[in-house]
Structure formats: C-alpha cells, structure tokens
Amino acid sequence: MNIVPQIKYNYRKEIFAFFLLALAIRLLIAFQDISYIDRIFLPDDTYYTLAISENIYADGIPSVDGIVSTSGFQPLITLFQIPLFAFTTDKELLVTLAVCISSIFGALSTIVIGLLLFSLANDSSARLGMGLFAIAPGIILNDLNGLETSLSGLCCLLLILQLYRMKTSSSLLNEVFLGLLCTLALLARIDSVFIVMITGLYCLRAFGLISTIRVASTAVLAISPWWIYLYLEYGSVLPESGKAVKQLIDLVITNDPYSGFLPLLSLYKLADVFSIPNMPLIISLPFRVTILIVSFYSVIIGLKNKSLAIEFKLIMLSALPLLFFYTFYLPAYWFFERYFYWVYIALIMSIACTYKQEAGKFYRAVILLLIPLSLASQYLFFSKPETVPLLAHNLYGPKGYRDISLYMLPQIPPNSNVAAMQSGALNYFSPENINVVNIDGVVNRDAYNTIKDATLDIYMKQREINYFADWPAQLEFLNNHAKNQFNENCRIELASIADGYLESRLYKLSDCYDY
C-alpha cells in the first residue's frame, strides 16, 4: 500500500527541498551548546520523559525517580527514546539526541504538508505552507523541545493524508491503516482524541457505518493493550498528569485575581506561531494583532469556501475543540506553547490554502510579511543571550532547568531526599544517592492524592524530605498545603541561581518536626 499520492516529479523535488530546509534549520540549532538549547527550548517535562525512558530501559518501570511508577507520559515518544540508553550513558548527549529525534519528526511533517497541499490545493499554497512551517518560530520551538509534540503533529497529518487516500480507495487495507494511525496519534498525545473523533464522524458520513466500524475496531484493538495496562495499574486509561495539572490550575485560579484574563493569554500565545517569541508586549502587540486577524480571517474564509478540500476543513475544525478545551477547561498557560501545536499547524494550513483564493492584494501582502517576521526569529534562535539584551529578559526564562540542577545538586549531601515541583531535570541529573521527590503530582500520584486530601505535610514526613529546590512561589505553595510546616522559621536558604526573570532556590528544611 502506498500512502503517498501520485504527484508530479518536479513537485516531489520541491517537497524534498523544503524538507531539507526544515531539517537543516532544526538540526543546526539542535547541535548548538546544550546550555543554550536547554534555556530556549526545553521545558522541565523533557527531563521527566527522559527519566521515565531511562527507568523503563533499566528496570522496566515507568518512573521518574525509580520508585513511584507513573502514567503521566506519552508512550509513543518513549519507544524512540528508550533505545538511546543502550548506546550511551552520557546524560547530556542523550538530551541532544532526544532533541534531534523531535526535530526530525517536525521536519518530516513538512513532507506531509507538501503532499496534502500539492494534491488538494495549488502550487502556490503548497510552497507557502511548507515554507511557513519550516521557519515558523512557534513550530520550531516545539520541534526542538525533545518531547512528543512534533511526533503527535506528524501522526495527525498522516491521519489526514490517509483520509484523502481513502476517498480514492476505501479498501479494507486502507481502513485498517487509518485505524492504526488513529492509535498512533492517541499514543503520541492523548489530546489527539479531538481529531480522531472528527475523523470518525467524517468516516461515518463519507464511507458509511460498516467502514467506520472497521476503522474504529482496528483502533480499539491496537490501543487496548495499553489501555488495559493503564486501567489495571492506575485505575484510568487517561494519563494521571492531566488530573494533576487540572488540580494545580484550580488551586492557582482560586487565588489569582487575574484568572479572568486567561482567554486573552490564550490569544496571545496563538500569535506565537509567527511572532518572535516573548518579545516585550509594547513591541510585539501590533504584530500579534495582525497575526491573529490574518489567522482567524483565513480560517473563516476556508470554512466558508465550498471548493476547499474537506481534509483542510477537518484540520481547522479539529483545532477548534482543542483550542476551547485548553482555553476554558485546562488553561495551564505555561503549557499553551505546546498545547497549541496542532492549532499552529491548522493556522498555517488555512493561511496557505486561502492565499490564492482571496483576491485582496492587501491580504496577500500581509501574509507575505509573515515570512520575514518568522525569519527574524531565526536570528534569535542562533544568538546568545548577551547579544540580544532587549529580549534576553523574556526569551531566556523561565527555563534553563539543566543549569539550575547542575548548580544545586552538588550542594546537596548524599542520602538526602529533595522535594520539588519542577523536579524533572533534578531527577534526571541527580546521582543515585540523592532522591528527588515530585510533589506537584504530575508524575507522582501519591503527591496528587496528598494535595487533594490536604495531607501533604504527612507525605513529606513519610518520604523524609529534608531539602526543597524550586522557585520561591512554589515554596509558598508547599507551605500553604503542608499546614505551614515549612514557614520561614523552619527552613534555611542554602543557594540561589537566576532563572531568566525568576530565581530558583535551595532550602534545607530544619527541625520543626522529627522524622
């Protein structure tokens, strides 16, 4: 079975050229100094995932700390990371390799975008779509995060490509392959469920009930071993990280007088697809407003256009529930950059599809301005903080989890138990004689339950926690949910390190209670 549509040879050469462009940009960035990559591109979750992959390779246990097992990860990306640990134990090299893997998945998506646009739109749309995807800062930031984001985007794009194939040949083999792609999309990222559901509804309408049953049955059979394992081990087929993030959001929103502005922050992050990342608001606001107007206008034009291929409309429609879900139900704004990856792809596709269809010269001119705006971000991605002092304050934090961990860990005595909410890099880089305990519950269901039951202080005693490493705001969270056990009289600050516009600190928890 050939999933690649029959397109002209010259078009294939163009697709390959754009793929090489996307791959070159990503790999050139990926092989720069790791401290720079860490500060710009890597969230703490990158280190969570690597630690889980390492423990699966070593002990067969999906665990961050090697003690408490977790379902708070996306399984498909770990399948690509686990083999890396057979070739090297160099932790920093493993980080670089993980970034390279996610970069390659991102570059491969350029090929699928080209195949879809050349087959279903026109030459200009294809070139514009591939070009924007290759250089868009919001896409590159995700493709270089060492996580599952780019893999999920690739799986979802392949899902759409297979739908196009089924229109010409709705065979049993094509139906099975579509079902398998649905499974891969869900295993890559659970929020792919929105596009999987819309795919199912489209199949029901376009191919009939029997065909849809075959697709759904294949998907269910393929994913059922994983779901059965999750249910038997953790009592749910959903990753436990989701409910932990939801609990943290509810706690934050309850005490945040500005929580009503979260939808505006969602719009702000949507514009990151083409905007120079974290540029000061006073400078970036005109660009962001323009990007949002063009993006929404292109989506409206696309959905209203009867001649636009249904595959593109499915991409746009599947992005809407994803956007609403994260804006209003799970508004973890610190994750919006990653949550909106599929929305970014939908915006790029809608702009590319409507570029030729919309006759207005002004509209086309504004779209073309997105190219130099995106290219400007490449300068920042290849620059060092000291060369861009105007932007360094925003662009380079709050990240840099590797630097923080490598600074703090040597100051912690052997056989210590360290609590942290941002515990991914601390866990990943910690020696065997230092135990790092996650206490926000994202990868530790015991911590999630203790926060829920207001017994975090008891859990801290049970785990014999004697150090805390995190931002001061996280310390206040800990103190508030541990019945004031860790107030200023019960802790000693040992070290601090600048973390972009925040500051991470290491505390020794003193003798306010005995273990």
Side-chain angles (χ1 to χ4, degrees):
M1 182 183 63
N2 181 17
I3 191 174
V4 179
Q6 298 299 313
I7 59 175
K8 295 179 182 178
Y9 176 70
N10 287 340
Y11 291 165
R12 294 189 179 189
K13 290 196 295 185
E14 288 190 49
I15 290 173
F16 187 65
F18 276 104
F19 162 70
L20 290 180
L21 171 65
L23 184 64
I25 290 172
R26 285 152 177 77
L27 291 183
L28 283 172
I29 297 174
F31 281 106
Q32 293 191 79
D33 183 80
I34 189 172
S35 62
Y36 156 73
I37 299 300
D38 172 65
R39 185 158 292 279
I40 304 296
F41 298 99
L42 305 186
D44 201 40
D45 289 15
T46 301
Y47 298 102
Y48 281 136
T49 304
L50 279 168
I52 290 169
S53 298
E54 181 180 25
N55 281 304
I56 293 175
Y57 174 77
D59 305 313
I61 300 173
S63 170
V64 173
D65 59 6
I67 299 173
V68 180
S69 68
T70 180
S71 65
F73 66 103
Q74 310 295 341
L76 193 57
I77 191 63
T78 62
L79 293 181
F80 292 94
Q81 291 183 353
I82 290 169
L84 301 177
F85 293 89
F87 297 100
T88 181
T89 58
D90 185 332
K91 298 237 172 178
E92 297 197 342
L93 176 58
L94 286 162
V95 174
T96 300
L97 293 175
V99 171
C100 289
I101 289 173
S102 65
S103 299
I104 292 169
F105 288 135
L108 287 171
S109 291
T110 312
I111 296 177
V112 187
I113 288 172
L115 291 171
L116 284 168
L117 289 170
F118 272 126
S119 301
L120 297 169
N122 54 68
D123 300 2
S124 298
S125 293
R127 294 174 187 125
L128 180 62
M130 289 187 293
L132 288 177
F133 186 87
I135 65 175
I139 296 295
I140 292 175
L141 280 168
N142 278 292
D143 287 353
L144 283 144
N145 66 13
L147 285 167
E148 76 289 336
T149 326
S150 58
L151 175 58
S152 171
L154 176 62
C155 290
C156 291
L157 283 168
L158 288 171
L159 191 63
I160 296 297
L161 185 62
Q162 180 61 9
L163 277 178
Y164 164 66
R165 288 273 305 162
M166 282 187 62
K167 287 200 304 187
T168 58
S169 175
S170 184
S171 65
L172 176 61
L173 188 59
N174 272 326
E175 292 165 351
V176 169
F177 193 60
L178 180 62
L180 292 175
L181 284 172
C182 289
T183 298
L184 290 177
L186 291 171
L187 292 175
R189 252 189 94 80
I190 191 62
D191 59 12
S192 300
V193 66
F194 294 111
I195 192 166
V196 170
M197 290 171 60
I198 286 178
T199 297
L201 293 173
Y202 173 72
C203 285
L204 188 62
R205 179 175 178 271
F207 309 122
L209 179 62
I210 301 301
S211 178
T212 304
I213 289 174
R214 286 196 286 258
V215 171
S217 299
T218 302
V220 170
L221 286 173
I223 204 171
S224 58
W226 174 245
W227 278 356
I228 290 170
Y229 163 75
L230 288 181
Y231 186 78
L232 293 177
E233 186 71 20
Y234 305 100
S236 172
V237 299
L238 299 176
E240 62 188 8
S241 53
K243 62 182 181 181
V245 171
K246 176 62 176 172
Q247 178 173 261
L248 291 173
I249 290 169
D250 291 342
L251 292 171
V252 169
I253 289 178
T254 300
N255 300 307
D256 188 352
Y258 301 105
S259 59
F261 293 98
L262 284 176
L264 291 178
L265 185 57
S266 172
L267 290 175
Y268 178 87
K269 295 304 291 183
L270 272 183
D272 273 2
V273 60
F274 297 119
S275 178
I276 295 175
N278 293 316
M279 180 183 287
L281 184 60
I282 192 171
I283 300 175
S284 68
L285 187 60
F287 296 110
R288 290 182 177 277
V289 171
T290 302
I291 290 167
L292 289 173
I293 291 173
V294 169
S295 299
F296 289 136
Y297 183 53
S298 66
V299 170
I300 293 171
I301 291 174
L303 291 176
K304 289 175 64 176
N305 190 338
K306 294 182 179 179
S307 64
L308 185 66
I310 185 63
E311 288 81 0
F312 298 128
K313 293 185 178 182
L314 292 176
I315 292 174
M316 298 175 197
L317 288 172
S318 65
L320 290 175
L322 188 72
L323 176 62
F324 291 145
F325 178 82
Y326 284 124
T327 300
F328 298 106
Y329 177 74
L330 201 67
Y333 50 86
W334 51 92
F335 291 146
F336 276 173
E337 178 183 282
R338 189 156 84 245
Y339 287 165
F340 290 165
Y341 186 73
W342 183 246
V343 182
Y344 293 165
I345 291 176
L347 293 179
I348 288 173
M349 297 288 270
S350 64
I351 288 171
C353 288
T354 58
Y355 174 69
K356 272 285 189 179
Q357 295 173 356
E358 174 58 36
K361 292 182 179 180
F362 178 74
Y363 175 77
R364 292 187 188 180
V366 171
I367 287 179
L368 293 178
L369 282 175
L370 298 177
I371 297 174
L373 184 62
S374 296
L375 287 172
S377 69
Q378 309 309 312
Y379 169 74
L380 295 176
F381 290 154
F382 285 96
S383 300
K384 299 299 182 285
E386 60 272 13
T387 66
V388 280
L390 176 65
L391 303 181
H393 175 75
N394 291 285
L395 182 61
Y396 296 88
K399 290 182 182 175
Y401 297 105
R402 167 190 169 274
D403 289 347
I404 296 165
S405 300
L406 295 181
Y407 174 76
M408 289 186 172
L409 285 168
Q411 304 184 59
I412 301 172
N415 304 314
S416 297
N417 297 306
V418 186
M421 296 181 70
Q422 306 290 333
S423 62
L426 283 166
N427 255 308
Y428 181 68
F429 289 109
S430 65
E432 291 185 3
N433 58 7
I434 293 178
N435 181 37
V436 180
V437 180
N438 171 263
I439 57 165
D440 64 8
V442 174
V443 288
N444 181 355
R445 62 184 183 276
D446 293 337
Y448 165 80
N449 289 325
T450 59
I451 293 173
K452 180 181 177 182
D453 300 335
T455 56
L456 185 58
D457 56 320
I458 298 174
Y459 181 69
M460 297 278 285
K461 294 177 185 179
Q462 290 173 344
R463 295 298 301 266
E464 300 185 359
I465 303 298
N466 46 16
Y467 287 87
F468 181 84
D470 220 312
W471 302 327
Q474 310 290 50
L475 178 64
E476 293 309 310
F477 175 90
L478 167 66
N479 193 44
N480 291 338
H481 291 84
K483 301 176 182 177
N484 204 36
Q485 290 276 11
F486 305 105
N487 59 60
E488 61 275 5
N489 298 319
C490 301
R491 62 184 189 243
I492 302 171
E493 183 178 330
L494 299 181
S496 65
I497 179 174
D499 176 18
Y501 52 78
L502 296 175
E503 184 179 40
S504 290
R505 297 176 184 175
L506 174 65
Y507 294 93
K508 172 75 170 69
L509 303 180
S510 59
D511 302 326
C512 286
Y513 59 80
D514 295 323
Y515 292 118

